[in-house]
Amino acid sequence: MLTLGIDPGTAIMGYGLVESGVSLSGEESSTEELRLVEYGALRTPSHAPMIKRLPMLYAGLQELLKEHKPQAVAIEELFFNKNVRTALAVGQARGVVILAAAHAGVEMAEYTPLQVKQAVVGYGRATKEQVQAMVKIILHMDHIPQPDDAADALAIAICHIHSRVFEMMTRDRGSA
Amino acid sequence: MLTLGIDPGTAIMGYGLVESGVSLSGEESSTEELRLVEYGALRTPSHAPMIKRLPMLYAGLQELLKEHKPQAVAIEELFFNKNVRTALAVGQARGVVILAAAHAGVEMAEYTPLQVKQAVVGYGRATKEQVQAMVKIILHMDHIPQPDDAADALAIAICHIHSRVFEMMTRDRGSA
């Protein structure tokens, strides 16, 4: 299962593609290791108006979806600890991600920051640094992924895969 | 000049189409009256997830843009008096509007609530009711447009047309 994690923002949108041996049909092993496929960030010029920036982000996402054909797109759920101006900007960026995924016919999932931390570090109050260090270990990277937005995006992708594995295990147990 | 005003929201997105005799090239009279073309609201089911609702709104906007071919789309600028949850939802809706306009190649403009009130009522501290009453008068309607979201959208469209007329008058003076 290939998952595209996204950390939405209008100036910089982090993305991370993580592959797992676990297919959605649950046919393969659920213990197979995760593999880093690609990560990075889409950036837009800060002087440009939103009418230019949002289509640039949409086109960048469209390209990623077309090239990698992920089975799912995962983003962080609404957060409420930032200010209204940030929330409005993040909302616009999220709108772009949701539309790009929907138009590409790709399944979408949302996770709270708590769920991401629990899935990646096993501890809901983990710091940003602990999450990044675990992302590096889980994906066998030789350095912490940069920028932070890309590291966050990889963490969300890992969270999605873990939660799917858990769902499948639960389902298997239920049907046994 | 045909202008599509939008009051963005995810549950309900008000829209209003207003035509003026003033063309962008400034060839026609700038005193010609405004004409109401259509108004209404796009609604999405509250139980549906955003991955369903945003594409529905995008498709609805796409249809309006295709059918009416407005020369401009006008929305209200960021507001900061609401809470973070509202801002995030409005941000997502705004993202959809901006993308739909950009993908249709239509010019886009933003106005602050103050600008809208000044353009429609001539008074920046006007109440919502005063704005709605003026929209009814300006567009020769026999009742206040409903829902409120559509009335707001019409007010934004009127604001855009007025501001364009003003720009053209200023330009004409400058070149005289």
Side-chain angles (χ1 to χ4, degrees):
Chain A
M1 181 170 70
L2 181 62
T3 298
L4 173 61
I6 300 281
D7 181 24
T10 52
I12 177 164
M13 188 175 281
Y15 69 88
L17 282 145
V18 180
E19 172 82 58
S20 76
V22 183
S23 71
L24 278 176
S25 57
E27 282 154 12
E28 293 164 52
S29 159
S30 65
T31 55
E32 204 164 321
E33 287 208 331
L34 302 188
R35 188 174 66 84
L36 170 66
V37 175
E38 192 183 311
Y39 69 94
L42 307 172
R43 291 167 198 272
T44 66
S46 57
H47 59 270
M50 281 301 155
I51 185 112
K52 298 282 180 214
R53 294 167 88 168
L54 298 190
M56 287 169 72
L57 294 170
Y58 183 89
L61 288 168
Q62 218 175 13
E63 211 173 296
L64 283 171
L65 291 166
K66 204 172 159 187
E67 188 186 338
H68 295 284
K69 297 183 179 53
Q71 284 166 276
V73 172
I75 57 172
E76 255 188 37
E77 237 178 52
L78 325 181
F79 57 89
F80 300 109
N81 56 334
K82 303 250 171 124
N83 66 42
V84 173
R85 188 185 286 267
T86 311
L88 217 140
V90 171
Q92 291 185 163
R94 283 174 57 91
V96 172
V97 176
I98 292 172
L99 271 188
H103 289 169
V106 181
E107 181 205 355
M108 199 155 175
E110 290 185 301
Y111 299 96
T112 62
L114 183 77
Q115 286 175 307
V116 174
K117 286 173 179 179
Q118 274 174 335
V120 176
V121 188
Y123 173 57
R125 285 171 173 274
T127 64
K128 202 173 184 67
E129 290 70 31
Q130 287 173 315
V131 172
Q132 292 178 349
M134 276 305 292
V135 166
K136 172 180 172 289
I137 293 168
I138 291 168
L139 299 177
H140 312 286
M141 300 171 78
D142 53 14
H143 58 276
I144 302 273
Q146 282 297 329
D148 284 356
D149 314 76
D152 289 348
L154 288 169
I156 297 157
I158 292 168
C159 172
H160 177 69
I161 293 170
H162 280 191
S163 101
R164 279 308 155 101
V165 171
F166 182 75
E167 261 177 36
M168 276 183 276
M169 287 166 69
T170 313
R171 206 158 50 220
D172 285 353
R173 259 187 228 132
S175 63
Chain B
M1 182 171 67
L2 180 62
T3 299
L4 172 61
I6 299 281
D7 182 23
T10 52
I12 178 163
M13 187 175 281
Y15 69 88
L17 282 145
V18 180
E19 173 82 58
S20 77
V22 182
S23 71
L24 277 174
S25 59
E27 283 155 10
E28 295 165 49
S29 160
S30 64
T31 54
E32 202 163 324
E33 289 209 331
L34 302 188
R35 188 174 66 84
L36 169 65
V37 175
E38 191 184 311
Y39 69 94
L42 306 171
R43 292 167 197 270
T44 66
S46 58
H47 58 271
M50 281 300 156
I51 184 110
K52 298 283 179 212
R53 294 168 86 168
L54 298 190
M56 287 169 70
L57 294 171
Y58 182 90
L61 289 168
Q62 218 175 13
E63 211 173 297
L64 282 172
L65 292 165
K66 205 171 156 187
E67 187 186 338
H68 296 283
K69 298 185 178 52
Q71 283 166 276
V73 173
I75 55 172
E76 254 188 37
E77 236 177 55
L78 325 183
F79 57 89
F80 299 108
N81 55 335
K82 301 251 172 123
N83 67 42
V84 173
R85 186 186 286 266
T86 311
L88 216 140
V90 171
Q92 292 185 163
R94 281 174 59 90
V96 172
V97 176
I98 292 171
L99 270 188
H103 289 170
V106 181
E107 180 205 355
M108 198 151 175
E110 290 185 302
Y111 300 95
T112 62
L114 183 76
Q115 287 175 306
V116 174
K117 286 173 179 180
Q118 275 174 335
V120 176
V121 187
Y123 173 54
R125 286 170 174 272
T127 63
K128 204 174 183 65
E129 289 70 31
Q130 288 174 314
V131 172
Q132 292 176 351
M134 277 306 292
V135 166
K136 171 179 171 289
I137 293 167
I138 291 168
L139 298 177
H140 311 290
M141 300 170 78
D142 53 15
H143 58 275
I144 302 274
Q146 284 296 330
D148 283 358
D149 314 77
D152 290 347
L154 288 169
I156 298 157
I158 292 168
C159 173
H160 177 70
I161 294 170
H162 282 188
S163 102
R164 279 307 155 101
V165 171
F166 182 74
E167 262 178 34
M168 275 184 277
M169 286 165 68
T170 313
R171 208 159 48 221
D172 284 353
R173 260 186 228 133
S175 64

